[in-house]
Amino acid sequence: VSQRISGAGMPFSEAVKAVLAEQFKKYDKDSSGFIEINENFEMDKKLAAFAGFEFDEEESRKTFVKSDTNKDGKVSLEEYIAYFETLVPPGIPEGPLIDYLNTITEGMQ
């Protein structure tokens, strides 16, 4: 039985946070410990291509601004995880969520 994840602001398990930390590292191209807008655009372009969608710069910018909760122009790992916690609906099983996040991470190659 897989653990259920409570989204909408509820904290993720350490396993889910570990997958998100791997994604964060791929976004953080310069290893500064933060995602900056240019890094966000670069990775979102790759993800759009992977998913077969056209890159939407405005949508990418909106997502970046929402995740930058302290408004310093960059996104920390903590902000990245907190943003994703608001996106996942309550009751999503941990196993399928991790599988989905891993698939996204593969698209970041």
PDB file of all heavy atoms in Angstrom, residues 84-101:
ATOM      1  N   PHE A  84       5.396  23.131  -5.512  1.00  0.00           N
ATOM      2  CA  PHE A  84       4.822  21.863  -5.954  1.00  0.00           C
ATOM      3  C   PHE A  84       3.823  21.310  -4.946  1.00  0.00           C
ATOM      4  O   PHE A  84       2.849  20.667  -5.326  1.00  0.00           O
ATOM      5  CB  PHE A  84       5.916  20.840  -6.267  1.00  0.00           C
ATOM      6  CG  PHE A  84       6.412  20.957  -7.671  1.00  0.00           C
ATOM      7  CD1 PHE A  84       7.493  21.768  -7.972  1.00  0.00           C
ATOM      8  CD2 PHE A  84       5.782  20.297  -8.705  1.00  0.00           C
ATOM      9  CE1 PHE A  84       7.949  21.905  -9.267  1.00  0.00           C
ATOM     10  CE2 PHE A  84       6.227  20.419 -10.014  1.00  0.00           C
ATOM     11  CZ  PHE A  84       7.307  21.229 -10.291  1.00  0.00           C
ATOM     12  N   GLU A  85       4.061  21.559  -3.673  1.00  0.00           N
ATOM     13  CA  GLU A  85       3.112  21.101  -2.654  1.00  0.00           C
ATOM     14  C   GLU A  85       1.739  21.734  -2.853  1.00  0.00           C
ATOM     15  O   GLU A  85       0.725  21.132  -2.522  1.00  0.00           O
ATOM     16  CB  GLU A  85       3.639  21.391  -1.251  1.00  0.00           C
ATOM     17  CG  GLU A  85       4.770  20.461  -0.852  1.00  0.00           C
ATOM     18  CD  GLU A  85       5.420  20.794   0.469  1.00  0.00           C
ATOM     19  OE1 GLU A  85       5.315  21.955   0.939  1.00  0.00           O
ATOM     20  OE2 GLU A  85       6.052  19.893   1.055  1.00  0.00           O
ATOM     21  N   THR A  86       1.689  22.932  -3.426  1.00  0.00           N
ATOM     22  CA  THR A  86       0.396  23.587  -3.667  1.00  0.00           C
ATOM     23  C   THR A  86      -0.295  23.042  -4.914  1.00  0.00           C
ATOM     24  O   THR A  86      -1.490  23.262  -5.086  1.00  0.00           O
ATOM     25  CB  THR A  86       0.547  25.116  -3.823  1.00  0.00           C
ATOM     26  OG1 THR A  86       1.248  25.409  -5.036  1.00  0.00           O
ATOM     27  CG2 THR A  86       1.253  25.736  -2.630  1.00  0.00           C
ATOM     28  N   LEU A  87       0.437  22.348  -5.776  1.00  0.00           N
ATOM     29  CA  LEU A  87      -0.111  21.866  -7.043  1.00  0.00           C
ATOM     30  C   LEU A  87      -0.737  20.481  -6.972  1.00  0.00           C
ATOM     31  O   LEU A  87      -1.611  20.157  -7.770  1.00  0.00           O
ATOM     32  CB  LEU A  87       0.981  21.832  -8.116  1.00  0.00           C
ATOM     33  CG  LEU A  87       1.626  23.153  -8.497  1.00  0.00           C
ATOM     34  CD1 LEU A  87       2.695  22.922  -9.543  1.00  0.00           C
ATOM     35  CD2 LEU A  87       0.596  24.148  -8.981  1.00  0.00           C
ATOM     36  N   VAL A  88      -0.267  19.661  -6.050  1.00  0.00           N
ATOM     37  CA  VAL A  88      -0.696  18.265  -6.003  1.00  0.00           C
ATOM     38  C   VAL A  88      -1.989  18.147  -5.204  1.00  0.00           C
ATOM     39  O   VAL A  88      -2.038  18.533  -4.040  1.00  0.00           O
ATOM     40  CB  VAL A  88       0.412  17.374  -5.394  1.00  0.00           C
ATOM     41  CG1 VAL A  88      -0.058  15.938  -5.271  1.00  0.00           C
ATOM     42  CG2 VAL A  88       1.674  17.456  -6.239  1.00  0.00           C
ATOM     43  N   PRO A  89      -3.027  17.613  -5.817  1.00  0.00           N
ATOM     44  CA  PRO A  89      -4.303  17.459  -5.103  1.00  0.00           C
ATOM     45  C   PRO A  89      -4.169  16.490  -3.929  1.00  0.00           C
ATOM     46  O   PRO A  89      -3.372  15.553  -3.988  1.00  0.00           O
ATOM     47  CB  PRO A  89      -5.257  16.890  -6.153  1.00  0.00           C
ATOM     48  CG  PRO A  89      -4.572  17.013  -7.452  1.00  0.00           C
ATOM     49  CD  PRO A  89      -3.104  17.143  -7.189  1.00  0.00           C
ATOM     50  N   PRO A  90      -4.954  16.695  -2.881  1.00  0.00           N
ATOM     51  CA  PRO A  90      -4.909  15.778  -1.734  1.00  0.00           C
ATOM     52  C   PRO A  90      -5.249  14.350  -2.151  1.00  0.00           C
ATOM     53  O   PRO A  90      -6.057  14.124  -3.056  1.00  0.00           O
ATOM     54  CB  PRO A  90      -5.988  16.323  -0.800  1.00  0.00           C
ATOM     55  CG  PRO A  90      -6.208  17.733  -1.220  1.00  0.00           C
ATOM     56  CD  PRO A  90      -5.892  17.786  -2.692  1.00  0.00           C
ATOM     57  N   GLY A  91      -4.600  13.401  -1.509  1.00  0.00           N
ATOM     58  CA  GLY A  91      -4.940  12.001  -1.716  1.00  0.00           C
ATOM     59  C   GLY A  91      -4.231  11.297  -2.854  1.00  0.00           C
ATOM     60  O   GLY A  91      -4.514  10.134  -3.123  1.00  0.00           O
ATOM     61  N   ILE A  92      -3.316  11.971  -3.539  1.00  0.00           N
ATOM     62  CA  ILE A  92      -2.569  11.312  -4.618  1.00  0.00           C
ATOM     63  C   ILE A  92      -1.612  10.294  -3.988  1.00  0.00           C
ATOM     64  O   ILE A  92      -0.843  10.649  -3.104  1.00  0.00           O
ATOM     65  CB  ILE A  92      -1.762  12.345  -5.447  1.00  0.00           C
ATOM     66  CG1 ILE A  92      -2.687  13.355  -6.102  1.00  0.00           C
ATOM     67  CG2 ILE A  92      -0.861  11.652  -6.464  1.00  0.00           C
ATOM     68  CD1 ILE A  92      -3.564  12.787  -7.190  1.00  0.00           C
ATOM     69  N   PRO A  93      -1.650   9.030  -4.433  1.00  0.00           N
ATOM     70  CA  PRO A  93      -0.719   8.040  -3.875  1.00  0.00           C
ATOM     71  C   PRO A  93       0.733   8.398  -4.191  1.00  0.00           C
ATOM     72  O   PRO A  93       1.048   8.867  -5.286  1.00  0.00           O
ATOM     73  CB  PRO A  93      -1.114   6.735  -4.573  1.00  0.00           C
ATOM     74  CG  PRO A  93      -2.492   6.970  -5.086  1.00  0.00           C
ATOM     75  CD  PRO A  93      -2.572   8.441  -5.385  1.00  0.00           C
ATOM     76  N   GLU A  94       1.606   8.168  -3.223  1.00  0.00           N
ATOM     77  CA  GLU A  94       3.007   8.533  -3.370  1.00  0.00           C
ATOM     78  C   GLU A  94       3.686   7.825  -4.541  1.00  0.00           C
ATOM     79  O   GLU A  94       4.432   8.451  -5.292  1.00  0.00           O
ATOM     80  CB  GLU A  94       3.753   8.223  -2.075  1.00  0.00           C
ATOM     81  CG  GLU A  94       5.209   8.623  -2.131  1.00  0.00           C
ATOM     82  CD  GLU A  94       5.921   8.342  -0.826  1.00  0.00           C
ATOM     83  OE1 GLU A  94       5.929   7.175  -0.387  1.00  0.00           O
ATOM     84  OE2 GLU A  94       6.457   9.297  -0.256  1.00  0.00           O
ATOM     85  N   GLY A  95       3.441   6.540  -4.718  1.00  0.00           N
ATOM     86  CA  GLY A  95       4.109   5.786  -5.788  1.00  0.00           C
ATOM     87  C   GLY A  95       3.867   6.369  -7.165  1.00  0.00           C
ATOM     88  O   GLY A  95       4.828   6.672  -7.887  1.00  0.00           O
ATOM     89  N   PRO A  96       2.607   6.553  -7.574  1.00  0.00           N
ATOM     90  CA  PRO A  96       2.352   7.152  -8.887  1.00  0.00           C
ATOM     91  C   PRO A  96       2.881   8.584  -9.013  1.00  0.00           C
ATOM     92  O   PRO A  96       3.323   8.982 -10.088  1.00  0.00           O
ATOM     93  CB  PRO A  96       0.831   7.119  -9.012  1.00  0.00           C
ATOM     94  CG  PRO A  96       0.411   5.985  -8.142  1.00  0.00           C
ATOM     95  CD  PRO A  96       1.387   6.008  -6.989  1.00  0.00           C
ATOM     96  N   LEU A  97       2.851   9.341  -7.930  1.00  0.00           N
ATOM     97  CA  LEU A  97       3.390  10.706  -7.976  1.00  0.00           C
ATOM     98  C   LEU A  97       4.889  10.672  -8.242  1.00  0.00           C
ATOM     99  O   LEU A  97       5.391  11.402  -9.095  1.00  0.00           O
ATOM    100  CB  LEU A  97       3.094  11.457  -6.674  1.00  0.00           C
ATOM    101  CG  LEU A  97       3.686  12.864  -6.581  1.00  0.00           C
ATOM    102  CD1 LEU A  97       3.162  13.770  -7.694  1.00  0.00           C
ATOM    103  CD2 LEU A  97       3.404  13.475  -5.215  1.00  0.00           C
ATOM    104  N   ILE A  98       5.596   9.806  -7.547  1.00  0.00           N
ATOM    105  CA  ILE A  98       7.041   9.693  -7.762  1.00  0.00           C
ATOM    106  C   ILE A  98       7.325   9.223  -9.184  1.00  0.00           C
ATOM    107  O   ILE A  98       8.231   9.746  -9.846  1.00  0.00           O
ATOM    108  CB  ILE A  98       7.683   8.766  -6.707  1.00  0.00           C
ATOM    109  CG1 ILE A  98       7.675   9.484  -5.340  1.00  0.00           C
ATOM    110  CG2 ILE A  98       9.099   8.375  -7.105  1.00  0.00           C
ATOM    111  CD1 ILE A  98       8.130   8.627  -4.184  1.00  0.00           C
ATOM    112  N   ASP A  99       6.555   8.258  -9.687  1.00  0.00           N
ATOM    113  CA  ASP A  99       6.739   7.803 -11.070  1.00  0.00           C
ATOM    114  C   ASP A  99       6.557   8.956 -12.050  1.00  0.00           C
ATOM    115  O   ASP A  99       7.337   9.124 -12.994  1.00  0.00           O
ATOM    116  CB  ASP A  99       5.756   6.677 -11.410  1.00  0.00           C
ATOM    117  CG  ASP A  99       6.067   5.385 -10.678  1.00  0.00           C
ATOM    118  OD1 ASP A  99       7.182   5.245 -10.121  1.00  0.00           O
ATOM    119  OD2 ASP A  99       5.178   4.509 -10.659  1.00  0.00           O
ATOM    120  N   TYR A 100       5.513   9.748 -11.842  1.00  0.00           N
ATOM    121  CA  TYR A 100       5.236  10.904 -12.706  1.00  0.00           C
ATOM    122  C   TYR A 100       6.387  11.915 -12.639  1.00  0.00           C
ATOM    123  O   TYR A 100       6.867  12.390 -13.673  1.00  0.00           O
ATOM    124  CB  TYR A 100       3.915  11.546 -12.288  1.00  0.00           C
ATOM    125  CG  TYR A 100       3.617  12.833 -13.009  1.00  0.00           C
ATOM    126  CD1 TYR A 100       3.212  12.839 -14.341  1.00  0.00           C
ATOM    127  CD2 TYR A 100       3.741  14.061 -12.351  1.00  0.00           C
ATOM    128  CE1 TYR A 100       2.943  14.017 -15.007  1.00  0.00           C
ATOM    129  CE2 TYR A 100       3.467  15.244 -13.016  1.00  0.00           C
ATOM    130  CZ  TYR A 100       3.078  15.217 -14.336  1.00  0.00           C
ATOM    131  OH  TYR A 100       2.826  16.396 -14.986  1.00  0.00           O
ATOM    132  N   LEU A 101       6.829  12.226 -11.434  1.00  0.00           N
ATOM    133  CA  LEU A 101       7.929  13.190 -11.280  1.00  0.00           C
ATOM    134  C   LEU A 101       9.210  12.668 -11.913  1.00  0.00           C
ATOM    135  O   LEU A 101       9.970  13.425 -12.521  1.00  0.00           O
ATOM    136  CB  LEU A 101       8.150  13.519  -9.802  1.00  0.00           C
ATOM    137  CG  LEU A 101       7.023  14.292  -9.124  1.00  0.00           C
ATOM    138  CD1 LEU A 101       7.266  14.387  -7.622  1.00  0.00           C
ATOM    139  CD2 LEU A 101       6.852  15.675  -9.729  1.00  0.00           C
TER     140      LEU A 101
END
